[in-house]
Amino acid sequence: VFTVLATASVLGLEFPQDVLVEMLDLPEAAVLGALDTAMAAGVLVDTRSVRRAMRFVHALVASAMYSEIGPSSRARMHERAVRALTKGTDPVPPDVVLQLARHCALAGLPEEALHWSVSAGDHAFEHLAPSEAAHHYRIALDAADALHRPEGQRADIQVRLGHAQHRAGDPHALTNLAQGAELARRSGQSQTLIRAALVTDLGVIRLDSLAPEHAAMVEAAIEVADPTDTATYARLLAQLAQSLSFTPEAERRIALAHRALKLAEEHGDPALLASVAPAVLVALWAPGSERLRREVAARALSAAEASGDPQLQFSVNLSAFHAAIESGDSVMAAHNSARLRSTAQSVGEPRLRWLIGLLETFDATMTGRLGDAETLAASTLELGTQIGSPDAFTFFAAQFFVLGTFAGR
């Protein structure tokens, strides 16, 4: 019974009986008999699932059984789990992909760990679990390094890792994206470089010391991008235009913004207009542009709402909020603010909560609640620092200066 339960603990808290039988060098009847004995003793329960599975009554029981296995035996048993899980399964179900990523890593199988960890990371990212995705990508990157894989492959994984970390609010995101972009540039992996450039858009103007490096990354991506791929090219041009804000290149910035806007309009996909609008609206920020910016914001809002993409909806509503505030449209600003809060709450990403903190600090300031504004500014700085937002202190300093001025300090 001990051998059967120890092997089951390798599979986790819950395990399918057929996989357990496959892992053990015992007759099936002996394994089933041991499971029945464990159930009678109250150690296991039957999940009564379609695929016959059992579960330890408590995680502590599974952990205790697992701790009794020696390190070398654990690795061998995890390898057996890999072989059992991949036997006759094509295609591999998503839940099995996650199990394979874990078992391959713990079995010390770098080739398999690389493959299944990338697959598990992709699945987690697509299902809005960026922290879990980052965990799998980190394992994949370690495996790729251990295997001395080509720079191009490592660049792809590092950009995936940076993207997941960015969505999860991990302070290491920008470093991994920058390193991945450099590897991609060096190895001639154009698509990976382009992905890194697009991912590093933080949704607000970058004022940090690394802003010039970001602009250079976008420039490099534009150099290798295919101009006939209108959707990608328009987004890159918009990003470059935005990155030129607060630089002497005002004419180039505005020209790039108009070019990106024109490409998006000619492309015919409303979602593309919504994608480029936030950066374009920043880049077009100049005297006499209010009417055009409000018109672009209105069309982008309609397209974003129709897209069903919460990230896109948040980004466009944030830009539209700024345009409404600048034009004194309190009704539209309130509408945008409500949509921003709702989206940030439903998505739950730290980066969105940080941006909401900036918005709420502004709102408290403009309504004369200066004490609340100072408290909000401090908590927003703390969150921004935790997630590694490069402009967290810059925004805090600007808000604190305004608050001090309003308070007569």
Side-chain angles (χ1 to χ4, degrees):
V1 175
F2 175 83
T3 300
V4 172
L5 291 179
T7 304
S9 72
V10 171
L11 292 171
L13 183 63
E14 186 174 312
F15 56 90
Q17 287 188 18
D18 58 337
V19 174
L20 179 62
V21 170
E22 190 67 35
M23 288 176 63
L24 289 161
D25 294 325
L26 294 171
E28 182 176 355
V31 176
L32 297 179
L35 293 176
D36 288 340
T37 300
M39 273 205 341
V43 176
L44 299 176
V45 293
D46 190 338
T47 64
R48 302 189 182 283
S49 59
V50 175
R51 184 182 185 185
R52 181 84 175 172
M54 307 200 80
R55 185 176 70 248
F56 284 95
V57 291
H58 198 285
L60 289 176
V61 178
S63 178
M65 297 302 304
Y66 188 74
S67 66
E68 292 296 320
I69 309 170
S72 58
S73 296
R74 285 182 192 173
R76 187 173 65 254
M77 292 169 77
H78 280 292
E79 183 173 357
R80 285 196 169 197
V82 172
R83 306 308 170 215
L85 287 166
T86 54
K87 186 176 181 179
T89 307
D90 189 28
V92 178
D95 62 318
V96 176
V97 169
L98 300 178
Q99 295 175 51
L100 285 169
R102 169 178 170 268
H103 289 303
C104 289
L106 293 173
L109 303 172
E111 288 276 0
E112 290 91 337
L114 174 56
H115 171 75
W116 292 115
S117 293
V118 170
S119 297
D122 290 347
H123 175 77
F125 191 83
E126 290 167 5
H127 289 78
L128 304 180
S131 294
E132 183 182 335
H135 167 74
H136 291 300
Y137 290 141
R138 194 177 294 109
I139 292 173
L141 185 60
D142 289 343
D145 288 338
L147 292 166
H148 304 291
R149 285 299 174 86
E151 285 190 339
Q153 185 175 7
R154 282 155 44 211
D156 173 69
I157 298 170
Q158 195 157 14
V159 169
R160 291 175 196 244
L161 170 60
H163 192 181
Q165 290 175 325
H166 172 57
R167 296 282 291 274
D170 190 311
H172 299 98
L174 295 181
T175 299
N176 277 311
L177 285 168
Q179 291 176 353
E182 176 57 23
L183 281 175
R185 186 193 63 77
R186 250 182 4 225
S187 58
Q189 298 298 311
S190 302
Q191 292 305 310
T192 303
L193 173 58
I194 290 168
R195 277 173 35 226
L198 292 174
V199 168
T200 48
D201 172 28
L202 299 180
V204 291
I205 303 174
R206 290 190 62 170
L207 305 172
D208 63 289
S209 60
L210 297 179
E213 292 184 21
H214 172 251
M217 183 196 303
V218 178
E219 291 260 30
I222 289 175
E223 287 179 9
V224 298
D226 180 1
T228 63
D229 180 0
T230 307
T232 300
Y233 206 70
R235 291 179 64 198
L236 287 171
L237 291 177
Q239 286 305 307
L240 180 58
Q242 178 179 253
S243 71
L244 296 177
S245 300
F246 303 117
T247 72
E249 300 186 68
E251 289 187 11
R252 185 185 179 211
R253 165 173 58 84
I254 293 173
L256 285 168
H258 280 289
R259 187 178 172 196
L261 183 59
K262 182 180 180 182
L263 284 174
E265 291 172 335
E266 291 176 347
H267 187 264
D269 181 3
L272 178 57
L273 175 63
S275 296
V276 304
V280 165
L281 289 171
V282 170
L284 290 177
W285 191 28
S289 66
E290 177 192 333
R291 182 176 178 180
L292 173 60
R293 293 175 72 244
R294 292 196 66 183
E295 187 267 330
V296 171
R299 285 193 289 145
L301 274 175
S302 298
E305 292 302 325
S307 72
D309 181 347
Q311 294 283 342
L312 185 59
Q313 290 167 355
F314 186 94
S315 183
V316 172
N317 270 284
L318 183 61
S319 298
F321 172 81
H322 292 149
I325 288 293
E326 291 158 16
S327 60
D329 188 342
S330 59
V331 174
M332 179 54 71
H335 169 76
N336 298 139
S337 177
R339 290 291 291 123
L340 286 165
R341 288 179 171 86
S342 173
T343 304
Q345 184 175 7
S346 63
V347 174
E349 291 185 6
R351 182 178 64 89
L352 303 193
R353 288 193 285 110
W354 173 66
L355 291 169
I356 289 297
L358 295 177
L359 183 151
E360 290 179 339
T361 302
F362 170 80
D363 183 61
T365 302
M366 299 309 291
T367 53
R369 296 179 289 114
L370 303 187
D372 290 345
E374 287 193 5
T375 301
L376 286 165
S379 61
T380 301
L381 171 64
E382 183 178 358
L383 176 58
T385 303
Q386 288 173 356
I387 66 175
S389 177
D391 290 324
F393 184 77
T394 303
F395 279 108
F396 170 77
Q399 290 174 331
F400 203 75
F401 175 79
V402 171
L403 284 168
T405 302
F406 282 10
R409 295 199 297 265

